[in-house]
Amino acid sequence: MKEQSQDLHNMRHSCAHLLAAAVQELWPDVKLGVGPVIEDGLYYDFDLKHRLTEEDFPSIEKKMAEIAAQGHSYEREEVDLDKAKERVKEMEQPYKLELIEAIEKTGSTAVMEAEEQNEEVGQVDKVSFYTTGKFVDLCRGGHCPTTKDIGPFKLLSVAGAYWRGSEDNPMMQRIYVTCWPTQEELDKYLELKEEAKKRDHRKLGKELDLFTFSDLVGAGLPLFTAKGNIVRQQITAFVQSLMHPYGYQQVWTPHITKVELYKTSGHYDKFSDDIFYARSGREEESEFALKPMNCPHHTQIYASQPRSYRDLPIRLAEVGTVYRDELSGELGGLTRVRSLSIDDAHLFCRPDQVGQEVRNLYGIIKDFYSIFDMELRVRLSVRDPKAPEKYLGTDEIWEKSEAELLKVVMEEVGEDFVRAEGEAAFYGPKIDFISMDSLGREWQLATIQVDFNQPERFGLEYTADDGSKQQPVMVHRAILGSLERFIGVLIEHFAGKFPFWLAPTQVKILPIADKHLSYAESVKERLHDAGFHRVEIDTHGDMVGKKIKKAQLEKVPYMLIVGDKEVESGLVAIRHRDEGDQGTVGVEELIKKLK
């Protein structure tokens, strides 16, 4: 989630109460869930007999505006847990009762916001209620001074959501709302949101014939068409070209593995619910799993033979397909899938080599994103010192690895980075790169992670120059994350208009009539001989205007129109998808232009 100022966060949280108050006035039998602040707004979960639709939004917004205009303050009251339980029972709010019981059990009030909080877990004796006019809600705060201080808001959508994210719980109705300090900011957000709808990668992916999904294959398992696979191949080749000067070795690992591998690495204890399991029909076989990540496999390639300090660093790279058992309700196009191809690499270094390797990776990542014209900001993700049980390894290991990354970040980035406690991987700290697309949305894609823990757990070693056995440091890195998610982001970033080098079809030749097909074929052959293999000819008998419109919808970078004049003169008429007609040129001149 983007960082929000405390004032903006409080305003949006106050708006959540405003939404719940309005829904309760309109439908008094409603049972209230939770209403946390999220990126660009908030949501609130309701258990309600009435089926909410967007047709209800005007009446809800009108009621919210009426309550806001009354200028109610947010009155805080702290009560002990027993009294709090009695109070929500009287209010006939069973979900609030469940939250209080969860607070008793966990010693944490984070459940009130339905999100993880970096807070110390301990004994909680009291909880707080906030009263706003006639509305009362269990809440931690904070809030605006009054309801008049809530900025302009807009209801966006309604969706089903399982209570507390569990499929075993009731399905609730979740209303999403955006809220901003000024009308100008709200209007700008809604304008960008409307543009984002037009760029939705699920819509464009179908229109451009890049990928598809099948109920027979399964949800969250994308199928890439020939054109979509071209995009995958081009991106993969580009990443590998950036890595080539640094001596990366491409490896391959199988799609299934013994579960024991992940028990040794520590992933099983942390992510057992996210693993797809597979059993052999033979009784003597061990329990297997579909590979959820590549790093433990790469440790075994490293461990397959003795290593010397002279061999290091060893850089193993793989675009490996992994599988995650995501909840069906959380799947979304290419950005949340169950089958994902990770642009993965793991470096095994001596301690004195870590700094330089991280610097090299930093340079690769900057070069990669500059090609796509995507700005980057840096986040140093470290462990939460208040929750050491979430992480593997000793304090000494963590302090050492965090200091190493901090040194690199300070030297490469300077002071312009964010330090995020609690965002580290369970095995080590990391540098996360937050990318901004053309609509100003942020995506966490690239990452560099330092890991002292897996080498220790797998007993990895190398022979030092003094003959002693030493433990290498493992550096994890992803430049684009998963290909699926990155392609989804790119489709929306470019609105489907891929740059020439990435476009599935780079050139489309449009013969005006069938008698020009032979010349179109000769042009295609000359382009092919010059290295341009993604060239198509529109052989349909349509009028040329219709062919141009079709190519425009397919977002092909260049169209070549050939008719009688072009055949006679040996030329082609060029049309660019954005710039329109660009005149008539010879094929050799065209090849120079394309190159």
Side-chain angles (χ1 to χ4, degrees), residues 273-286:
D273 290 342
D274 298 326
I275 295 175
F276 280 108
Y277 297 94
R279 288 187 180 275
S280 168
R282 305 177 188 276
E283 291 183 5
E284 69 272 15
E285 292 289 352
S286 303

Side-chain angles (χ1 to χ4, degrees), residues 11 30 40 66 92 142 159 182 205 222 270 340-341 354 459 498 528 539-540 551 575-576 587:
M11 183 186 73
V30 67
D40 299 339
E66 289 175 1
E92 298 183 353
T182 66
K270 301 291 181 180
L340 50 155
S341 304
V354 172
F498 291 114
H528 188 279
T539 59
H540 294 87
R575 182 179 179 86
H576 188 269
V587 178

Side-chain angles (χ1 to χ4, degrees), residues 90-111:
E90 291 173 5
M91 294 165 60
E92 298 183 353
Q93 294 296 338
Y95 297 105
K96 301 297 182 181
L97 177 62
E98 184 178 327
L99 292 178
I100 296 170
E101 290 172 344
I103 291 167
E104 276 187 310
K105 183 177 179 181
T106 64
S108 170
T109 58
V111 294

Side-chain angles (χ1 to χ4, degrees), residues 463-512:
T463 303
D465 55 358
D466 62 359
S468 63
K469 298 296 183 181
Q470 300 294 326
Q471 179 182 297
V473 181
M474 189 175 178
V475 177
H476 307 240
R477 80 98 184 97
I479 294 174
L480 55 89
S482 83
L483 268 168
E484 289 76 13
R485 185 165 181 256
F486 185 72
I487 290 172
V489 171
L490 273 194
I491 291 171
E492 298 185 8
H493 176 60
F494 289 121
K497 294 181 179 180
F498 291 114
F500 181 76
W501 69 273
L502 192 56
T505 303
Q506 295 174 311
V507 177
K508 197 150 194 179
I509 305 173
L510 313 178
I512 292 177

Side-chain angles (χ1 to χ4, degrees), residues 213-219:
F213 289 91
S214 163
D215 289 339
L216 283 175
V217 175

Side-chain angles (χ1 to χ4, degrees), residues 278-537:
R279 288 187 180 275
S280 168
R282 305 177 188 276
E283 291 183 5
E284 69 272 15
E285 292 289 352
S286 303
E287 184 179 17
F288 282 79
L290 295 181
K291 180 173 62 172
M293 64 278 299
N294 298 307
C295 40
H297 295 258
H298 290 183
T299 67
Q300 298 311 287
I301 293 177
Y302 178 91
S304 64
Q305 58 181 282
R307 308 291 183 178
S308 163
Y309 72 97
R310 298 179 186 275
D311 301 325
L312 304 185
I314 293 173
R315 308 176 184 92
L316 305 180
E318 176 180 15
V319 180
T321 303
V322 300
Y323 305 88
R324 309 276 172 84
D325 190 9
E326 302 281 1
L327 293 173
S328 59
E330 295 179 350
L331 299 173
L334 295 181
T335 55
R336 194 72 177 264
V337 292
R338 286 173 169 156
S339 167
L340 50 155
S341 304
I342 301 292
D343 149 49
D344 227 349
H346 298 95
L347 293 68
F348 299 89
C349 322
R350 303 191 308 263
D352 62 293
Q353 296 172 323
V354 172
Q356 187 56 52
E357 290 302 310
V358 172
R359 287 182 182 85
N360 292 344
L361 290 170
Y362 186 86
I364 291 173
I365 290 167
K366 286 202 301 184
D367 289 345
F368 179 83
Y369 284 93
S370 68
I371 292 296
F372 298 101
D373 195 24
M374 297 178 79
E375 295 181 13
L376 292 176
R377 66 180 182 87
V378 176
R379 181 178 70 201
L380 178 60
S381 298
V382 299
R383 66 174 176 165
D384 178 1
K386 298 176 181 177
E389 72 281 355
K390 293 182 179 180
Y391 310 95
L392 299 177
T394 64
D395 289 343
E396 181 183 6
I397 285 176
W398 276 89
E399 289 166 5
K400 183 178 181 181
S401 52
E402 288 179 1
E404 190 68 53
L405 284 188
L406 177 61
K407 180 181 177 183
V408 174
V409 169
M410 289 295 292
E411 290 178 1
E412 295 293 328
V413 187
E415 297 290 345
D416 190 20
F417 71 94
V418 175
R419 181 184 176 94
E421 286 191 353
E423 294 295 328
F426 74 94
Y427 49 71
K430 54 182 180 167
I431 302 174
D432 290 324
F433 295 82
I434 315 300
S435 310
M436 182 180 292
D437 69 13
S438 58
L439 294 182
R441 299 173 302 181
E442 293 187 337
W443 306 86
Q444 198 277 294
L445 299 170
T447 185
I448 304 170
Q449 306 173 0
V450 175
D451 183 359
F452 289 85
N453 286 297
Q454 285 199 59
E456 181 179 26
R457 293 175 75 90
F458 284 108
L460 305 184
E461 46 182 41
Y462 66 90
T463 303
D465 55 358
D466 62 359
S468 63
K469 298 296 183 181
Q470 300 294 326
Q471 179 182 297
V473 181
M474 189 175 178
V475 177
H476 307 240
R477 80 98 184 97
I479 294 174
L480 55 89
S482 83
L483 268 168
E484 289 76 13
R485 185 165 181 256
F486 185 72
I487 290 172
V489 171
L490 273 194
I491 291 171
E492 298 185 8
H493 176 60
F494 289 121
K497 294 181 179 180
F498 291 114
F500 181 76
W501 69 273
L502 192 56
T505 303
Q506 295 174 311
V507 177
K508 197 150 194 179
I509 305 173
L510 313 178
I512 292 177
D514 287 350
K515 64 181 179 178
H516 307 123
L517 280 170
S518 177
Y519 180 67
E521 288 286 356
S522 70
V523 172
K524 180 180 178 181
E525 286 178 15
R526 291 173 70 182
L527 289 172
H528 188 279
D529 292 342
F532 298 100
H533 303 297
R534 286 175 269 155
V535 181
E536 296 179 3
I537 300 174

Side-chain angles (χ1 to χ4, degrees), residues 24 28-34 44 77 79-104 112 126-131 135-139 163:
Q24 192 173 62
D29 64 334
V30 67
K31 307 305 179 189
L32 303 175
V34 292
Y44 210 111
E77 179 186 3
V79 299
D80 62 43
L81 294 179
D82 288 336
K83 288 184 179 179
K85 286 192 285 186
E86 289 301 319
R87 187 165 186 176
V88 295
K89 286 178 183 177
E90 291 173 5
M91 294 165 60
E92 298 183 353
Q93 294 296 338
Y95 297 105
K96 301 297 182 181
L97 177 62
E98 184 178 327
L99 292 178
I100 296 170
E101 290 172 344
I103 291 167
E104 276 187 310
M112 293 165 69
K126 294 183 177 182
V127 292
S128 55
F129 288 85
Y130 278 83
T131 301
F135 179 71
V136 180
D137 203 358
L138 177 72
C139 178
W163 170 239

